[in-house]
Amino acid sequence: MDALTMFPARASTNAGEVDLLYGFLLAVSIPMTLLIFFFVFFFAIKYRRRSPDERPKAIHGSIPLEIAWSVIPLFIMLIMVAWGTKLYFENYTPPRNTLDIYVIGKQWMWKVQYPDGQREINELHVPTGRPVKLTLASEDVIHSFYLPAFRLKHDVVPGSYQTYWFEATRPGRYHIFCAEYCGTNHSRMIGWVTVMEPNDYEAWLSGGTRGGSMVEQGRALFEQYGCVTCHVLDSQGRCPSLRNVYGNPVQLEDGRTVLADEAYIRESILNPNAKIVKGYKRDVMPVFMGQISEDGLLQLIVYIKSLSPQNTQVTPSGPSPAAVPTRAPAKQVQKQ
Ligand code: CUA
């Protein structure tokens, strides 16, 4: 039955508005296409050459007509731009207090990790009525995490994090697709997102985990890789303390100020010399590029996030107005 309907199920708060915009695009483009084809044939017949010596009248154009057919479509298209931009920023700007879930794409599966430590492959479980933020990473090539029922799709690019968020509205099972050709088994890189009522979700979550929460796993890695020996939490040692770093501006040795988001932490682990914190030296920290898996990186990041309890939410990478409020204090830091 599902396959016969034109649109996938609508199962998120924003899906309706995406469909509305899509409807507007259709409502504009279908009549325009019909109109153009109608006049192509109509004029071809009406103004056909009737005899070999027939000469058409010279036409020198019409300024009002040309302005009209340029300006009216311009305004219609500006409506599309404004509407699409609004939706884009809404979908890529998570609200506060999201449920954060981490998704890693690799040839050819989706690995999902929950804050409580559960892991799944090609399955994603989310509750209704709660904003969920997905942080997407790739272990190998570019994939694209596509959730048609939520009208969301984003490329998953190796070496960076992508995020989007949604709030599910209807319990059910909906498709997950990889929407970027990524090799032989791209077409099998599919799965299911299961939307559950909050109570069912709590029951599902408590279904048992091995290996502890992501924070605990991250803390274990933090010790295993020796990070604790330099990043002493409550004093400034050879390396900066990581307490209250996440979500706050960081002043760098070269005078710049950056926001400590997921992407910054990731880069600082893999390539510590890329951004040196003011007052610290290069080449003190070993380079972890190629040493830590994407799963491990996310666990470390979740652990470092947990050291900044008041900043549970910032928007990593990507164009998002939500980053603006958290960046505002940066100016004060520079003045000091
Ligand atoms: Cu992964 Cu296509």
Side-chain angles (χ1 to χ4, degrees):
M1 185 59 215
D2 232 23
L4 292 175
T5 52
M6 243 198 32
F7 287 94
R10 278 188 206 120
S12 73
T13 49
N14 72 354
E17 210 184 335
V18 174
D19 286 351
L20 216 57
L21 172 59
Y22 192 67
F24 176 71
L25 296 180
L26 288 179
V28 170
S29 49
I30 290 176
M32 281 308 292
T33 308
L34 293 177
L35 214 60
I36 288 166
F37 273 88
F38 170 77
F39 280 112
V40 164
F41 287 102
F42 178 76
F43 288 143
I45 293 163
K46 183 166 196 286
Y47 297 111
R48 70 188 184 279
R49 204 174 196 190
R50 282 157 222 263
S51 67
D53 55 349
E54 188 185 351
R55 292 284 179 272
K57 264 188 290 177
I59 295 173
H60 299 286
S62 158
I63 297 286
L65 198 60
E66 285 177 24
I67 289 177
W69 76 44
S70 303
V71 171
I72 294 170
L74 173 72
F75 277 105
I76 295 176
M77 282 172 198
L78 284 179
I79 293 173
M80 296 173 183
V81 171
W83 195 344
T85 308
K86 171 180 171 278
L87 275 182
Y88 179 87
F89 280 114
E90 278 172 11
N91 287 336
Y92 292 93
T93 310
R96 289 185 165 269
N97 303 319
T98 46
L99 169 63
D100 293 359
I101 300 177
Y102 301 84
V103 178
I104 298 173
K106 69 175 266 196
Q107 288 168 321
W108 288 276
M109 66 177 80
W110 297 108
K111 299 191 291 182
V112 178
Q113 209 172 160
Y114 298 85
D116 290 355
Q118 289 93 340
R119 288 158 173 279
E120 293 187 285
I121 286 178
N122 296 336
E123 292 278 350
L124 171 65
H125 286 73
V126 296
T128 55
R130 173 144 187 223
V132 174
K133 179 177 112 177
L134 298 184
T135 300
L136 310 166
S138 167
E139 250 176 54
D140 36 43
V141 299
I142 301 178
H143 303 276
S144 181
F145 197 67
Y146 181 25
L147 301 169
F150 303 154
R151 307 295 189 271
L152 283 172
K153 175 165 71 176
H154 204 293
D155 276 13
V156 184
V157 182
S160 69
Y161 291 131
Q162 321 292 326
T163 55
Y164 57 57
W165 76 279
F166 57 83
E167 185 177 321
T169 50
R170 272 177 46 197
R173 292 216 351 129
Y174 309 101
H175 284 290
I176 299 172
F177 294 120
C178 178
E180 176 75 49
Y181 181 71
C182 56
T184 313
N185 288 329
H186 156 71
S187 63
R188 288 196 220 146
M189 196 165 162
I190 53 179
W192 294 95
V193 45
T194 305
V195 177
M196 307 166 98
E197 298 286 1
N199 286 340
D200 299 340
Y201 190 72
E202 288 308 315
W204 177 83
L205 266 187
S206 62
T209 55
R210 283 167 298 151
S213 69
M214 283 184 79
V215 170
E216 286 159 4
Q217 292 169 8
R219 187 188 298 125
L221 288 177
F222 200 75
E223 284 160 16
Q224 181 192 326
Y225 285 108
C227 318
V228 271
T229 56
C230 290
H231 290 285
V232 184
L233 285 184
D234 290 310
S235 69
Q236 302 288 350
R238 289 201 300 149
C239 304
S241 163
L242 299 180
R243 202 178 283 292
N244 294 323
V245 164
Y246 176 79
N248 287 318
V250 176
Q251 233 190 339
L252 302 182
E253 193 59 36
D254 61 13
R256 283 182 300 158
T257 302
V258 295
L259 175 70
D261 58 10
E262 281 92 341
Y264 167 79
I265 297 171
R266 176 199 172 88
E267 182 187 56
S268 298
I269 294 171
L270 297 179
N271 181 18
N273 288 333
K275 294 193 175 78
I276 300 293
V277 177
K278 189 173 169 57
Y280 291 88
K281 293 202 165 50
R282 298 173 62 82
D283 300 318
V284 171
M285 177 172 156
V287 171
F288 284 96
M289 189 75 82
Q291 312 281 311
I292 305 180
S293 68
E294 290 295 334
D295 303 67
L297 273 172
L298 286 172
Q299 289 159 0
L300 278 169
I301 288 169
V302 170
Y303 170 62
I304 291 168
K305 281 165 84 168
S306 76
L307 302 173
S308 304
Q310 82 283 22
N311 283 330
T312 49
Q313 186 63 66
V314 300
T315 307
S317 61
S320 74
V324 173
T326 38
R327 276 199 193 114
K331 290 201 186 86
Q332 294 162 3
V333 172
Q334 275 166 337
K335 270 185 221 149
Q336 283 162 4

